[in-house]
């Protein structure tokens, strides 16, 4: 039986990405979907994209890819962070082509599952939500608007209010452990912060994880290492 395998935020952690894929050992008939933020913060964004090509990984646009691409397309260097500049130095033309073609989400009709980077604003048609919402939402603020945790630290996670279908598999919000609810699962477990790189095999409802070799970046919300 073919498998659908979701992988959380890699953030340039090439060694861990390779280790996880070797552990999963995808077969030709399997579908591997990476949930965005493939690049940035970690040590080797170029090698991460090379590995994605090698394993025929289908990646989704994350907020880190979206910010860099927007800054370069619109000539807005003020959008770039220091680690963006390091990533830009690492990437070649083939890498940029790969990033330019990342979709907003992936959908599997067989399991009625959508794969997204950040998530959705509940109560609105999920297919029509903007890239700004789907790549950045973490919580819902007191006014019912999508927000980052740093901007509304006491606000509830968007997933707490999400009622499927579809079932949603997402990354973007790093946590020490997988965040699984009835209609969603968040699998960003903070690899770049010294946590785990997590995969979720949809048909088996099974998690596969590798521990980060070390913490490559610091988080304001999570312990170091996670």
């Amino acid at each position: 039986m073919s498998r659908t395998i979701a992988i959380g935020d890699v953030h340039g952690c090439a060694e861990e990405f390779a280790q996880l894929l070797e552990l999963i050992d995808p077969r030709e008939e399997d579908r591997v979907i990476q949930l965005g933020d493939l690049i940035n913060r970690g040590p080797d964004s170029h090698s991460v994209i090379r590995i994605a090509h090698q394993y025929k990984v289908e990646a989704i646009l994350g907020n880190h890819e979206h910010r860099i691409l927007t800054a370069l397309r619109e000539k807005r260097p003020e959008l770039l962070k220091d680690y963006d500049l390091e990533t830009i130095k690492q990437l070649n033309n083939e890498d940029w082509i790969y990033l330019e073609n990342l979709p907003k989400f992936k959908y599997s009709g067989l399991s009625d599952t959508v794969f997204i980077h950040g998530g959705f604003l509940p109560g609105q048609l999920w297919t029509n939500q903007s890239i700004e919402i789907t790549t950045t939402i973490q919580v819902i603020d007191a006014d019912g608007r999508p927000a980052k945790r740093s901007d509304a630290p006491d606000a509830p996670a968007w997933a707490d209010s999400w009622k499927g279908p579809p079932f949603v598999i997402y990354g973007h919000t790093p946590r020490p452990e997988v965040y699984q609810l009835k209609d969603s699962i968040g699998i960003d477990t903070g690899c770049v912060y010294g946590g785990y790189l997590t995969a979720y095999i949809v048909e088996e409802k099974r998690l596969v994880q590798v521990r980060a070799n070390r913490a490559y970046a610091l988080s304001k919300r999570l312990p170091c290492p996670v």
Side-chain angles (χ1 to χ4, degrees), residues 87-103:
T87 296
I88 289 170
K89 292 177 187 176
Q90 294 177 10
L91 302 185
N92 62 26
N93 287 338
E94 187 177 2
D95 298 333
W96 288 113
I97 292 170
Y98 183 86
L99 296 180
E100 287 278 4
N101 286 281
L102 296 180

Side-chain angles (χ1 to χ4, degrees), residues 176 189-196 211-219 222-226:
T189 42
C191 181
V192 76
Y193 303 120
Y196 290 87
R211 181 84 193 193
N213 295 330
R214 64 182 180 88
Y216 302 100
L218 298 177
S219 169
L222 300 173
C224 184
V226 175

Side-chain angles (χ1 to χ4, degrees), residues 4-8 31 33-35 115 169 187 198-202:
T4 310
I5 301 155
I7 296 177
R31 185 181 188 189
I33 300 173
Q34 195 278 325
L35 300 174
F115 304 79
I169 304 177
I187 61 170
T198 296
Y200 179 69
I201 302 175
V202 175

Side-chain angles (χ1 to χ4, degrees), residues 39-40 49 61 63-93 95-100:
I39 63 170
N40 257 11
I49 296 175
L61 187 72
N63 60 299
H64 282 253
E65 291 90 5
H66 182 54
R67 184 179 63 247
I68 289 181
L69 291 170
T70 299
L72 296 179
R73 286 184 195 131
E74 300 179 5
K75 296 181 172 56
R76 297 175 61 192
E78 72 276 6
L79 295 179
L80 298 173
K81 301 180 184 296
D82 289 344
Y83 51 73
D84 295 332
L85 301 176
E86 182 59 35
T87 296
I88 289 170
K89 292 177 187 176
Q90 294 177 10
L91 302 185
N92 62 26
N93 287 338
D95 298 333
W96 288 113
I97 292 170
Y98 183 86
L99 296 180
E100 287 278 4

